[in-house]
Amino acid sequence: MAQKPLRLLACGDVEGKFDVLFNRVRAIQKKSGNFDLLLCVGNFFGSTPDAEWEEYKTGIKKAPIQTYVLGANNQETVKYFQDADGCELAENITYLGRKGVFTGSSGLQIVYLSGTESVDEPAPGYGFSPKDVSSLRTMLCSTSQFKGVDILLTSPWPKYVGNYGNSSGEVDTKKCGSALVSSLAIDLKPRYHFAALEKTYYERLPYRNHIVLQETTQHATRFIALASVGNPEKKKYLYAFSIVPMKLMDAAELVKQPPDVTENPYRKSGKEASIGKPNPAPEEESACQFFFDLNEKQGRKRPSTGRGSKSSPPPKQPRKPPQPPGPCWFCLASPEVEKHLVVNIGTHCYLALAKGGLSDDHVLILPIGHYQSVVELSAEVVEEVEKYKVTLRRFFKSRGKRCVLFERNYKSHHLQLQVIPVPLSCCATDDIKDAFITQAEQQQIELLEIPEHSDLKQIAQPGAAYFYVELDTGEKLFHRIKKNFPLQFGREVLASEAILNIPDKSDWRQCQVTKEEEEMLARRFRKDFEPFDFTLDD
């Protein structure tokens, strides 16, 4: 017999508006039936007079549901929370305490951490310290059977929660929030994490707690930030949800991944991005020697850093791009590069027409410095690669085409991200996906579908051989190369009758044209691409 789910409500900053909150809860329960608990994060008390609270404290008024609240986030409200271990504040209203674990009779496990992040030790009555977070972690994670917790309640947002996710609106998650809360979320793996204080509602896409293809599948986490009660903008401050305690769930059901799941926002390359310490800023590549003009009519000059202000202090000497062990056909500074094929240059990457391309507008995204694969790129280069992807999709869509990207990190020394446009009239995205899977099966290649928001760096380690395809929908197919791999596989699939129907072009050497024709094609592409060129915005 299936376990009956618990019905819970979570609430953002109440700020002393108790009547507004509880009247709303009564209305919800009248319409939708009773809920089991109300969980309040953020500021429960406000700066308003205490008359309203006195009515609840003295029993004149009563909360319509068992309500659990977090403690003070400022000195002004510490007075309401007399016992650091938690206590009843009024009938049906309970202060959970500074930190700890609440386990209900159903087995539901709720971890709570009151206050805001503090550098002081011990922390003030309205804060928590690294030691507080460490003690929670030790209390819960010390057993080998630990899989995670059902719910995590904190007042501040976790820092970096927006990484890999949907937009968090006006809240910059790289600057706002607590790195200590991020580190706690990594270790506790809550199924739901609620926070407040930022006066807005943000329901992040669910994120996974494991590294795809490297770790055993684990349950996903949903982070929800809630707005203030009764806010004039009508932003959501109450969140209703049903949950079966983790310990009562079937293991397969627990780890089932939502279709929109993303990478863990607190990890980078499989390691924690936030561990309670500030992250050093990544060094930038030097690219100043590569800013030569591609437009014969309009000369342009840009600073290599893109932010050289007269009043700014001189920047640190940037790290030079990685150097190849020998001559490289694709390092832009190399004399080996056929520069007449270069059609656009950014700060860290450039575009070039493919030699012997499947079509006249088949291009490559290449890093300016020497990187062997996508998984070895620095953060700045990855960011610009993504810019080029988005821009090329827009460009080809305007021309009635969708683009397919693939990379073969096998028997190659410099990253070449192939971008091949496919006319919309040729086939649908699902047809392209099916063609890759079918031909892979025929050649006994294990082509795995990986989640749309996956970061390739968390699937393949630097130096590992692999092949991957990215479709215009964001879907990705991945193969870990263990022994041999057909070098022209990506081209063969796209050139097949199922897609472009040009099987004679599956080998690039059969598609070469004269240098004069290549120069003409490059000029045409530059002209067509110019309205979409984000590098002109500098």
Side-chain angles (χ1 to χ4, degrees), residues 164 268-269 285 322 348-349 364-367 369-386 388-389 393 405-410 412-419 450 454-470 476-478:
Y164 309 122
K268 286 193 177 177
S269 302
E285 293 181 23
H348 306 287
C349 305
L364 310 177
I365 303 174
L366 303 122
H370 189 77
Y371 293 92
Q372 183 171 326
S373 67
V374 162
V375 300
E376 294 181 11
L377 297 178
S378 64
E380 306 83 21
V381 185
V382 169
E383 185 178 348
E384 194 162 272
V385 166
E386 292 302 319
Y388 270 120
K389 284 184 189 178
R393 286 191 183 108
L405 297 90
F406 72 82
E407 179 199 1
R408 186 198 76 230
N409 183 32
Y410 173 71
S412 60
H413 300 289
H414 190 114
L415 166 63
Q416 303 159 55
L417 194 55
Q418 308 271 345
V419 185
I450 59 177
S454 292
D455 181 356
L456 208 60
K457 290 188 177 189
Q458 297 189 343
I459 297 171
Q461 298 299 316
Y466 64 84
F467 171 85
Y468 101 98
V469 185
E470 186 172 333
K476 297 173 187 173
L477 303 172
F478 176 87

Side-chain angles (χ1 to χ4, degrees), residues 109-123:
Q109 197 171 45
I110 302 172
V111 175
Y112 54 90
L113 181 65
S114 292
T116 56
E117 183 173 328
S118 172
V119 294
D120 297 327
E121 195 68 71

Side-chain angles (χ1 to χ4, degrees), residues 96-367:
L96 286 164
R98 290 280 297 275
K99 65 179 188 295
V101 184
F102 171 84
T103 304
S105 57
S106 62
L108 185 76
Q109 197 171 45
I110 302 172
V111 175
Y112 54 90
L113 181 65
S114 292
T116 56
E117 183 173 328
S118 172
V119 294
D120 297 327
E121 195 68 71
Y126 54 87
F128 57 83
S129 67
K131 189 175 179 181
D132 292 321
V133 171
S134 180
S135 68
L136 264 181
R137 187 184 291 117
T138 303
M139 184 193 311
L140 289 153
C141 307
S142 54
T143 65
S144 57
Q145 291 81 28
F146 179 75
K147 294 179 181 177
V149 300
D150 291 303
I151 298 170
L152 173 61
L153 303 178
T154 64
S155 287
W157 290 28
K159 202 171 186 180
Y160 312 113
V161 71
N163 288 352
Y164 309 122
N166 46 315
S167 171
S168 53
E170 295 177 0
V171 179
D172 184 348
T173 60
K174 289 182 173 63
K175 296 178 180 176
C176 296
S178 164
L180 285 176
V181 170
S182 303
S183 72
L184 190 63
I186 290 171
D187 293 324
L188 297 192
K189 304 182 181 89
R191 293 164 65 200
Y192 284 87
H193 180 179
F194 293 98
L197 297 185
E198 299 295 342
K199 315 296 184 191
T200 193
Y201 169 69
Y202 173 49
E203 183 169 2
R204 191 202 183 280
L205 290 171
Y207 66 81
R208 63 178 68 88
N209 286 294
H210 63 278
I211 301 174
V212 178
L213 303 181
Q214 291 185 34
E215 297 176 342
T216 305
T217 304
Q218 298 181 46
H219 59 269
T221 293
R222 287 173 164 82
F223 171 77
I224 296 111
L226 294 160
S228 305
V229 170
N231 66 86
E233 297 85 7
K234 310 286 187 189
K235 293 178 181 177
K236 188 169 182 174
Y237 64 84
L238 262 181
Y239 185 92
F241 66 110
S242 298
I243 185 170
V244 173
M246 181 185 289
K247 59 175 61 178
L248 301 179
M249 287 187 70
D250 174 73
E253 188 66 25
L254 176 64
V255 302
K256 193 176 287 184
Q257 301 293 291
D260 54 352
V261 69
T262 78
E263 290 303 328
N264 191 306
Y266 316 122
R267 292 180 188 262
K268 286 193 177 177
S269 302
K271 297 176 183 177
E272 287 82 3
S274 4
I275 52 173
K277 300 175 184 176
N279 288 323
E283 295 178 297
E284 291 201 1
E285 293 181 23
S286 172
C288 53
Q289 67 268 41
F290 303 131
F291 290 138
F292 57 84
D293 189 11
L294 291 174
N295 190 324
E296 295 168 2
K297 294 180 181 178
Q298 293 179 315
R300 57 193 168 104
K301 184 178 181 182
R302 295 184 281 133
S304 61
T305 62
R307 50 180 184 273
S309 166
K310 289 182 181 179
S311 59
S312 301
K316 289 194 293 186
Q317 186 63 31
R319 172 169 52 90
K320 290 184 177 180
Q323 298 302 305
C328 177
W329 290 99
F330 300 104
C331 285
L332 192 54
S334 169
E336 315 290 336
V337 171
E338 296 192 54
K339 289 191 169 61
H340 66 283
L341 293 172
V342 176
V343 292
N344 191 264
I345 301 176
T347 306
H348 306 287
C349 305
Y350 71 99
L351 287 184
L353 284 185
K355 197 167 185 70
L358 282 168
S359 62
D360 291 348
D361 43 7
H362 174 175
V363 292
L364 310 177
I365 303 174
L366 303 122

Side-chain angles (χ1 to χ4, degrees), residues 95 163 231 250 256 300 343 395 426 449 472 480 491:
Y95 164 45
N163 288 352
N231 66 86
D250 174 73
K256 193 176 287 184
R300 57 193 168 104
V343 292
F395 169 66
C426 274
E449 186 169 353
D472 62 319
R480 194 185 303 281
R491 284 184 66 111

